[in-house]
Amino acid sequence: MSNISRRHVLSALGGLALTGSMRQALSASGTQVRVGFTPAFVLNQYALLADWREYMEQRLGVSVEFVQRDSYQETMDLIRLKQIDFAWVCDYPYLYLRNMVRLLAVPLYKGQPYYRSFIIVASGNSAVRSLGDLKNTVFAYADPLSNSGYFVPRFRLHQLGEDPRTFFHKTFFTWSHKNVIEAVAIGMAQGGAVDSFVWETLNLIEPKLTRVTRIVERSPEFGFPPFVAHHEVAPQLFSRVQNILLAMPQDPQGASLVKRLNLDGFIKGNARLYDSLTRMMRAFGEG
Amino acid sequence: MVRDESETMYLFNISLRYKLPLWGGFLVVVSVLAVSTALLVKAYDDLQRDVHVGAEVTASTLCRTLFPALLHNDDWRAFEQINAVMASQSPGNPMRLEAIFVTDGEGRIVVSSDPLKFPMLARLDTLGRDYARLAAPLARMAGDKPARRLDFADKNANYSIVDSKQANETNQLPDFTDAKSLFFAQPIRQGSAQVGVLVLSYSKDVFWPRFRNLALQGSLIGALTLAVLLPINWYWGRRMAEPLVNLARRMGVVAQGDQDGQTNVTYPYRDEIGQLFDAYNAMVLEMREKAKLEQELLQAKRLTAIGRLASGIAHEVNNPLGGMLMALDTLKTRGELPAHANKTLNMLERGLRQIEEIVAALLVQTKDQGRHLKQDDLEDIRTLIQPQVLAKSQKLNWVVNFSEEVRLPAAACRQLLINLLLNAVQATAEKGRIGLAVDLEKDGLRLVVVNEAAPIPKEFMDQLFEPFVSGREGGHGLGLWVTYQIVKQLVGQINVSCDNGEVRFDVWLPLEKQ
């Protein structure tokens, strides 16, 4: 079913018909800054996003627009088409877009620029103790371009000597990490792969949902989904935005936003944070 | 068989009093049941149609949005669409969707609103009897032109969504009475591409209570109608039957020979039953009249026979009696007889005279008397009985309504009146009242003698006018017999009646022809 190759997916990007492509971004022109968001975090905290946008606008002195899309791919398209200047993307797309974007900032989660992938099952499903126990079940992936929600569990199966294309009876994408948790919670899937940051954040703000799921595997740490800037963004704007993000924990309003995001702040980061993923991708033949 | 028949017939032999209300009640119950059943069937159909229409709307909408999601193999999106429909149901809606699921051409669940109950890829036949039975019809629906399911990012997929106009294809799947749900299915297709079959499952758990409520309401109304109609019917039936039953009972009494039953059976209306009542009453009166006439005729015949016998004997006795009296007379005038012989002769003569008196009384003669009755005769009679009336301090009411001579023999009439009046005086207690009314009518004279007295006993009444029948001590019983003979010889009529403490003799005598 979903045994399409990563390469295949990405090559499809170039062939997609575009809608509203002529809506030329004002990007870097200084009159408006557009920031793209992916379902890499808890996307539906709309009030939080609105506050954050206002905060950025105040600090930046120009109009800021937050652009949300339901899948990673759509946000990536926007970057590729220069429809957005900055984006918060997953580490996996970042690596793909490496030639097109620059690392702007890396969020600090629990003081570290790292996160993991969780394999979850329904909490009542006590028979499953690891990913390997989920053979021939229905499994929920987050997004075909997600690291924690797609690549990591498949790589893990590869390590276990299983073919991720045939290991599960059926797999499907839910297009967001939160939906993975829901799919497992209602029993549509017996297992799912989810971003540790999303699961733990939801565990704080919506414990009813996470309570009915149970983590059976935690992956090693990966570089946290970074903020990136299109490489055509003027250096001045780049550093201004970067500085605003880095300085957020220093003022009360910014600190409050960071706290609501369940983060500790931002660092400039380093491309090396994502080396382990690059190695895995190569090992898996997708590099 | 014979016995069975008689037992069956027995039901039809019961009284109209029960038969009419029972038949009426039976018809009322049958009508109410028929109407209620028709309404219930209608309500059931309406309910089914409501469910069907709801299912059609839901299915058509869902199929349109599900098609692209399923075509792209986007199960989560399909689930969200299905779930949105489930979540948007109003709780008050009795046609509540229980579950929505999509099956593929092989009878497997593609996506469902309740993944725990309908797990992905589960075969319908593993989900229980109700669902296993759906497999065959669903396979037929999925069978025609199954579309190739495409992967979400298959850029080579060659399809076009052109057919936005979707024919109304929602089918109700076979409804098994023991199934817990009603199922509707619609193929999810656009143009020639089909990606599965959408199945909507409506719970009968909600459907049936609603129908039961309707049925209950219907039954309640039916019961109320019956509660009103049955007593009315019972009353009406009884009312119709009552006069007939009465009539039948009276007819039965008449048939047994008793004609003293009440005649005035009332029925106020002029319908056939009323006519029946009139006929009955007329018949009873006629029968009574006839019986009375027969009785009178019989009595008259007997009296005539007795009269003939009495006068025959009297004649036979009268001839030798005359001879004997003459001989006695001769003997007494001719010879001097010893004293004791004289004494014996006197005794003989007294006895013979007594016989002569009785015989004379028996030989009532009316025809040979020439004089007609005058008012003076009546005054004479009054004078004659006055002493007796006074002796008993009785009150005599004398009303004579004629002044001329009437063409009736005076002697016979005098004797008749004296007999009746003396009889009245004797029968009336002291200080009682006696009355005489004489009335000259067009062609006859009416004489009515009334006195205060206890009614004449019935057994005595039948023999009243026979000779030697006396109502009192000391009477020789010839008075009324003589009266009767006179009336008969004058071709008149005499009637006796007793009521209101009065005994009334009513005599009518036709006037002689001129």
Side-chain angles (χ1 to χ4, degrees):
Chain A
M1 291 285 189
S2 54
N3 51 352
I4 41 125
S5 76
R6 177 67 55 120
R7 228 185 289 276
H8 203 167
V9 174
L10 292 173
S11 63
L13 286 174
L16 277 179
L18 301 174
T19 54
S21 62
M22 289 311 109
R23 193 172 154 209
Q24 208 48 284
L26 297 167
S27 57
S29 68
T31 53
Q32 190 180 36
V33 171
R34 292 162 62 91
V35 185
F37 287 86
T38 61
F41 73 114
V42 183
L43 196 60
N44 51 357
Q45 292 174 285
Y46 302 110
L48 168 60
L49 283 178
D51 292 347
W52 195 7
R53 192 194 65 79
E54 209 173 309
Y55 176 87
M56 297 286 284
E57 209 166 64
Q58 280 170 9
R59 295 291 182 281
L60 211 52
V62 291
S63 161
V64 174
E65 190 187 350
F66 277 13
V67 181
Q68 293 188 49
R69 289 294 180 269
D70 281 344
S71 69
Y72 286 56
Q73 192 182 311
E74 288 168 279
T75 308
M76 285 169 72
D77 287 344
L78 292 177
I79 295 174
R80 205 183 55 78
L81 296 165
K82 300 181 218 162
Q83 296 277 314
I84 50 178
D85 309 301
F86 303 95
W88 191 3
V89 295
C90 189
D91 46 345
Y92 191 90
Y94 160 64
L95 292 182
Y96 269 99
L97 294 169
R98 201 155 30 180
N99 300 330
M100 215 177 286
V101 297
R102 281 203 288 155
L103 192 61
L104 177 74
V106 180
L108 283 176
Y109 175 56
K110 293 180 176 173
Q112 299 285 321
Y114 299 116
Y115 81 126
R116 299 164 192 269
S117 169
F118 285 168
I119 303 298
I120 56 167
V121 297
S123 50
N125 189 354
S126 55
V128 177
R129 300 186 178 272
S130 69
L131 180 61
D133 293 337
L134 285 167
K135 192 171 175 66
N136 281 328
T137 59
V138 176
F139 194 83
Y141 290 127
D143 191 290
L145 295 173
S146 163
N147 178 30
S148 57
Y150 187 59
F151 182 75
V152 173
R154 290 168 77 243
F155 184 77
R156 174 87 180 113
L157 287 173
H158 183 70
Q159 281 183 319
L160 292 171
E162 298 280 359
D163 182 351
R165 288 172 301 183
T166 57
F167 178 75
F168 297 114
H169 190 192
K170 181 182 173 68
T171 63
F172 61 89
F173 295 102
T174 67
W175 311 107
S176 95
H177 290 279
K178 189 184 174 187
N179 287 347
V180 169
I181 302 172
E182 271 176 15
V184 171
I186 61 168
M188 191 168 164
Q190 277 79 57
V194 67
D195 187 322
S196 67
F197 167 62
V198 172
W199 193 92
E200 283 169 349
T201 304
L202 279 171
N203 201 28
L204 291 176
I205 63 175
E206 230 181 298
K208 252 188 216 168
L209 177 62
T210 50
R211 200 182 297 145
V212 293
T213 63
R214 184 168 61 87
I215 301 161
V216 290
E217 267 197 40
R218 292 174 162 82
S219 74
E221 291 178 332
F222 297 97
F224 204 90
F227 268 84
V228 295
H230 196 275
H231 62 71
E232 283 180 15
V233 168
Q236 204 184 353
L237 180 63
F238 179 90
S239 52
R240 275 178 69 194
V241 173
Q242 190 177 50
N243 287 337
I244 291 168
L245 288 177
L246 297 183
M248 273 178 78
Q250 268 90 63
D251 69 277
Q253 210 183 343
S256 155
L257 282 169
V258 166
K259 191 166 183 294
R260 280 163 74 193
L261 282 163
N262 197 26
L263 294 173
D264 298 318
F266 296 91
I267 56 168
K268 281 187 180 174
N270 187 315
R272 280 200 303 278
L273 278 170
Y274 306 98
D275 282 352
S276 62
L277 177 57
T278 313
R279 278 196 300 278
M280 279 164 65
M281 284 163 74
R282 285 209 185 100
F284 201 44
E286 291 191 358
Chain B
M1 286 313 275
V2 172
R3 202 180 147 193
D4 281 353
E5 251 172 49
S6 66
E7 273 174 4
T8 317
M9 293 307 289
Y10 176 76
L11 278 177
F12 291 94
N13 289 341
I14 58 169
S15 165
L16 274 182
R17 224 178 317 178
Y18 307 111
K19 208 194 270 184
L20 276 182
L22 280 178
W23 268 112
F26 174 71
L27 290 179
V28 166
V29 169
V30 165
S31 313
V32 167
L33 280 183
V35 170
S36 307
T37 310
L39 286 178
L40 276 186
V41 168
K42 172 100 172 61
Y44 182 81
D45 281 353
D46 286 353
L47 214 56
Q48 285 246 356
R49 201 170 40 240
D50 285 356
V51 178
H52 203 133
V53 168
E56 254 171 34
V57 172
T58 308
S60 303
T61 314
L62 254 184
C63 277
R64 209 161 296 173
T65 57
L66 277 176
F67 179 80
L70 291 172
L71 194 69
H72 289 76
N73 211 12
D74 193 345
D75 299 315
W76 179 257
R77 216 137 266 175
F79 167 77
E80 282 184 329
Q81 286 162 6
I82 286 173
N83 211 30
V85 170
M86 290 298 289
S88 66
Q89 287 195 90
S90 71
N93 188 355
M95 272 74 75
R96 208 167 155 69
L97 266 169
E98 181 184 50
I100 303 175
F101 55 87
V102 174
T103 60
D104 62 13
E106 284 129 57
R108 290 178 307 188
I109 301 289
V110 176
V111 66
S112 74
S113 60
D114 184 356
L116 287 177
K117 192 173 173 193
F118 308 101
M120 279 179 132
L121 298 180
R123 301 191 61 85
L124 279 174
D125 18 8
T126 64
L127 295 175
R129 187 194 52 190
D130 287 0
Y131 301 97
R133 283 194 295 218
L134 299 180
L138 285 179
R140 271 199 299 281
M141 291 177 77
D144 27 311
K145 299 177 196 162
R148 181 180 159 215
R149 289 198 68 196
L150 302 167
D151 267 315
F152 67 99
D154 190 347
K155 68 166 179 152
N156 298 322
N158 182 16
Y159 65 92
S160 54
I161 300 174
V162 283
D163 185 13
S164 59
K165 189 174 64 187
Q166 196 139 15
N168 206 347
E169 294 179 286
T170 313
N171 300 307
Q172 181 174 358
L173 296 174
D175 179 20
F176 296 92
T177 44
D178 55 344
K180 290 198 177 75
S181 315
L182 272 180
F183 296 102
F184 294 89
Q186 179 165 334
I188 305 169
R189 63 156 75 110
Q190 301 257 3
S192 60
Q194 176 164 333
V195 291
V197 179
L198 174 72
V199 180
L200 306 180
S201 152
Y202 288 88
S203 174
K204 284 187 185 170
D205 290 350
V206 191
F207 182 80
W208 277 108
R210 185 176 147 99
F211 179 67
R212 261 202 301 278
N213 274 350
L214 280 173
L216 205 68
Q217 280 173 13
S219 312
L220 206 68
I221 291 169
L224 278 176
T225 314
L226 286 182
V228 173
L229 285 186
L230 280 183
I232 290 176
N233 165 70
W234 190 257
Y235 171 75
W236 169 82
R238 294 294 288 243
R239 211 186 134 95
M240 285 295 288
E242 205 60 48
L244 287 172
V245 170
N246 263 337
L247 199 58
R249 198 170 46 222
R250 295 215 170 112
M251 298 275 268
V253 171
V254 169
Q256 279 165 15
D258 184 352
Q259 288 145 14
D260 289 345
Q262 274 189 314
T263 39
N264 56 339
V265 181
T266 50
Y267 184 82
Y269 310 113
R270 302 303 312 145
D271 55 11
E272 282 78 1
I273 296 177
Q275 292 167 24
L276 209 56
F277 268 77
D278 287 350
Y280 166 79
N281 285 340
M283 182 193 78
V284 167
L285 283 175
E286 210 168 289
M287 283 176 76
R288 255 183 229 179
E289 202 63 33
K290 196 178 160 203
K292 199 178 158 199
L293 280 174
E294 274 174 0
Q295 183 79 17
E296 282 173 6
L297 194 65
L298 201 66
Q299 203 169 12
K301 272 185 180 166
R302 197 167 69 224
L303 286 173
T304 310
I306 291 169
R308 221 167 15 232
L309 179 66
S311 63
I313 292 172
H315 272 291
E316 292 309 313
V317 171
N318 214 19
N319 291 340
L321 189 64
M324 278 190 276
L325 281 170
M326 206 174 307
L328 261 180
D329 210 27
T330 311
L331 196 59
K332 274 167 78 178
T333 47
R334 276 197 194 160
E336 295 96 18
L337 294 171
H340 68 280
N342 253 337
K343 198 179 170 188
T344 306
L345 283 178
N346 284 341
M347 207 164 66
L348 271 173
E349 192 183 3
R350 277 199 304 277
L352 289 172
R353 289 287 171 202
Q354 194 179 351
I355 291 170
E356 187 186 27
E357 252 178 62
I358 291 170
V359 167
L362 283 172
L363 283 171
V364 181
Q365 290 297 326
T366 57
K367 301 232 167 84
D368 54 345
Q369 293 161 349
R371 196 169 61 82
H372 281 167
L373 184 68
K374 291 179 185 169
Q375 203 180 3
D376 293 347
D377 292 313
L378 290 165
E379 286 308 313
D380 289 350
I381 293 165
R382 187 177 189 173
T383 312
L384 279 170
I385 65 155
Q386 199 67 37
Q388 315 246 11
V389 171
L390 289 174
K392 290 183 87 174
S393 310
Q394 288 163 335
K395 193 180 172 224
L396 181 64
N397 187 24
W398 196 266
V399 180
V400 175
N401 190 18
F402 79 97
S403 49
E404 307 277 320
E405 186 181 280
V406 290
R407 293 190 305 278
L408 283 170
C413 287
R414 284 172 69 117
Q415 193 180 353
L416 184 149
L417 275 173
I418 287 168
N419 276 357
L420 285 177
L421 283 168
L422 286 176
N423 207 43
V425 169
Q426 280 153 11
T428 305
E430 288 197 358
K431 294 180 183 170
R433 287 185 302 170
I434 298 161
L436 169 74
V438 181
D439 218 354
L440 183 60
E441 293 176 354
K442 193 183 157 202
D443 49 359
L445 187 68
R446 185 164 297 281
L447 309 163
V448 178
V449 176
V450 184
N451 68 298
E452 277 186 338
I456 300 165
K458 191 174 181 308
E459 65 275 11
F460 184 49
M461 184 75 105
D462 288 344
Q463 301 175 312
L464 197 61
F465 297 114
E466 290 178 17
F468 309 109
V469 174
S470 177
R472 64 175 195 281
E473 294 294 317
H476 53 50
L478 282 173
L480 282 175
W481 185 77
V482 168
T483 306
Y484 183 83
Q485 294 302 319
I486 292 169
V487 171
K488 286 293 141 184
Q489 284 181 24
L490 295 177
V491 204
Q493 285 174 1
I494 179 163
N495 278 306
V496 189
S497 59
C498 311
D499 48 29
N500 296 329
E502 285 180 353
V503 176
R504 175 189 175 102
F505 284 84
D506 192 330
V507 180
W508 187 81
L509 302 172
L511 302 184
E512 285 171 7
K513 302 254 162 46
Q514 265 178 325

